[in-house]
Every structure is written in C-alpha cells, then in structure tokens.
Amino acid sequence: KIASGEWDIVIGTHALIQDGVAFADLGLVITDEQHRFGVRQRETFAGKGTEPHVLVMSATPIPRTLAIIIYGDLDISVIDEVPAKRLPIKNCVVDRRYRPKAYAFIEHEIRAGHQAYVICPLVEESENTEAENVTDYTKLLKAELPDVRIACLHGKMKPAEKNRIMEEFLNHDTDVLVSTTVIEVGVNVPNATVMLIEDAQRFGLAQLHQLRGRVGRSDLQSYCIMMNTSESKESKKRLDI
C-alpha cells in the first residue's frame, strides 16, 4: 500500500529506512529526534524519493546537530517559546560548601510532593579521576536523607532494570533519582522540580542544557543547582555562561 501510493502519510520508526520499503512518490520526510538517526540513515531516507523536502527536528544541541545546522545547507526554523504555563528554571552555580543547603532544599521540595534528580559524572569510583560517582553517592545520600526514597541509575545496568527504575520514578514510587547522563535525553517526569548536577564543570555546555531540561516540564517552579568542585577560573566562567 505504501509502494502503490494508497497511503498518503506513513508514520514509522527506523523500519521505514530499510531496503524493503518503497514509496510511490515521496515528497516530504520529517525526522523527529534527528540525533537518534545516523548520517547515512538520513541520507538513505532522502534517497527514497526524487529529492523530497526534508525537515529534521531536534531539541538536543549535541555537536552533530550543531554541525548539521552550520554545514548541512539547511534553512533553520527556531521554536523559541516554551509550552504555555511553564516557568523559567531558576539556576545557580555553587561550590561544595552549599551541599548541606542543597540537600535541605531537595528534602523541602520532596515534602511538597515533588521529585529530584542528582547527576554524577561517574558510575563507580575511579583511581584516575576525582569526581562523584553514582554508586557511592547513592549510599551517601541515603545516609543524609534517611526518610527519602532514593534510586540509582546508570548505563551499565541491563535495559529491563533501567526501564523498571525509570517507571518507578515516573510513578512517584521513588523521590530522588541519582544517575549518570543516561537521563540526558527523552526523559519526561513533570513532577521533578530539582536537578542537582555534581562536578558540573566536567560536563559540556550542551550537556548541562540538556540535563537542566529534565526539570521544568510542568507549571511547577523548577530549579537547577550546578555544583562546581573546581577552583579554576575557566570552569567558573563556563558555568556562569
């Protein structure tokens, strides 16, 4: 039916790119979340018609997306409005001395019925890198906030376990999710109002932007606390930006 042109609009996954799918007269290709597709996959798709119009969409400013904008010979459209009723996220850059205050603030938000993320750059302790890791941090936070339900998430877990932990967080069976950047893209928990990023100076600006975007997804006031554990002026300058 696709090949004969009986269907006018076809909505699908990467399956539409495979060789077995042919189109009668493909005129427009819209790719949502374009960063999840390979360069050749997008090229293959465009080749399934006679020079179809191509619209690629993304809210993820990873280097490849930025490169496509600069070098891809594309016209650029920007949606610069947030959905109705959303409030600007309140941001602050702090040092280690602020940590007790940050924990108290997270506890305050949880008492108000909301949830929080804590992001660490490492999964477990490393001999080569002095930075917070998810495994030890979860134990520390459980000791600091004994009445709070805390879960731990990282990329080394099996997909089924990751999904279970995310489902529990989405269903508000846990209050705080201590995680690596695996939650950077596509995670939507409207009830989460606090994002605490440990060792924030270790993340790229695009990553920080993405992580901050995990909160502020409802009409609740949300907050992003960036913990700068470096003394360097360069780190401070980047985080101020």
Side-chain angles (χ1 to χ4, degrees):
K1 287 184 177 181
I2 296 171
S4 69
E6 192 173 332
W7 295 130
D8 300 313
I9 297 174
V10 184
I11 300 167
T13 61
H14 291 67
L16 292 179
I17 301 167
Q18 65 196 19
D19 294 341
V21 180
F23 295 82
D25 184 11
L26 185 63
L28 171 64
V29 177
I30 300 175
T31 310
D32 196 10
E33 303 287 4
Q34 73 80 25
H35 50 275
R36 292 189 176 272
F37 292 81
V39 175
R40 289 211 177 95
Q41 286 183 319
R42 282 195 299 274
E43 195 174 61
T44 304
F45 220 157
K48 285 187 175 286
T50 310
E51 296 195 4
H53 295 290
V54 175
L55 173 64
V56 294
M57 303 199 295
S58 179
T60 308
I62 57 172
R64 200 175 71 191
T65 305
L66 301 178
I68 288 169
I69 289 169
I70 296 166
Y71 303 115
D73 192 27
L74 301 171
D75 297 319
I76 301 160
S77 301
V78 178
I79 300 171
D80 59 2
E81 296 173 339
V82 294
K85 295 184 181 175
R86 287 198 184 175
L87 301 168
I89 296 164
K90 293 186 176 178
N91 308 286
C92 64
V93 177
V94 296
D95 60 25
R96 285 188 181 96
R97 291 171 300 179
Y98 189 85
R99 200 172 271 141
K101 266 190 178 175
Y103 292 164
F105 183 70
I106 287 171
E107 199 167 20
H108 171 267
E109 283 294 299
I110 286 161
R111 284 203 185 118
H114 306 147
Q115 290 161 279
Y117 297 99
V118 178
I119 304 300
C120 300
L122 301 176
V123 174
E124 52 205 11
E125 197 173 1
S126 162
E127 286 178 13
N128 309 323
T129 313
E130 264 202 45
E132 297 295 346
N133 70 83
V134 167
T135 313
D136 292 337
Y137 200 101
T138 304
K139 292 174 190 165
L140 168 92
L141 204 58
K142 282 179 175 175
E144 289 281 336
L145 306 172
D147 300 328
V148 173
R149 298 169 299 174
I150 299 166
C152 159
L153 181 73
H154 54 75
K156 288 187 177 180
M157 292 173 168
K158 290 183 175 160
E161 192 180 2
K162 280 195 282 193
N163 289 339
R164 177 184 62 77
I165 291 163
M166 278 311 309
E167 284 286 324
E168 285 173 358
F169 190 63
L170 183 60
N171 296 332
H172 203 169
D173 296 328
T174 49
D175 302 309
V176 178
L177 188 61
V178 181
S179 174
T180 55
T181 54
V182 290
I183 59 111
E184 189 179 341
V185 176
V187 172
N188 184 30
V189 181
N191 192 46
T193 57
V194 185
M195 166 64 69
L196 169 59
I197 305 171
E198 286 285 352
D199 297 299
Q201 77 281 357
R202 292 185 169 274
F203 298 96
L205 293 182
Q207 274 187 311
L208 291 170
H209 170 76
Q210 277 298 111
L211 290 167
R212 180 179 59 185
R214 296 311 100 206
V215 294
R217 304 184 75 83
S218 66
D219 56 359
L220 299 168
Q221 179 63 62
S222 292
Y223 308 86
C224 181
I225 304 164
M226 288 169 255
M227 191 76 67
N228 180 10
T229 56
S230 164
E231 301 297 320
S232 91
K233 286 181 182 172
E234 186 65 23
S235 293
K236 186 180 184 307
K237 187 176 164 189
R238 281 179 69 252
L239 290 170
D240 285 346
I241 289 170

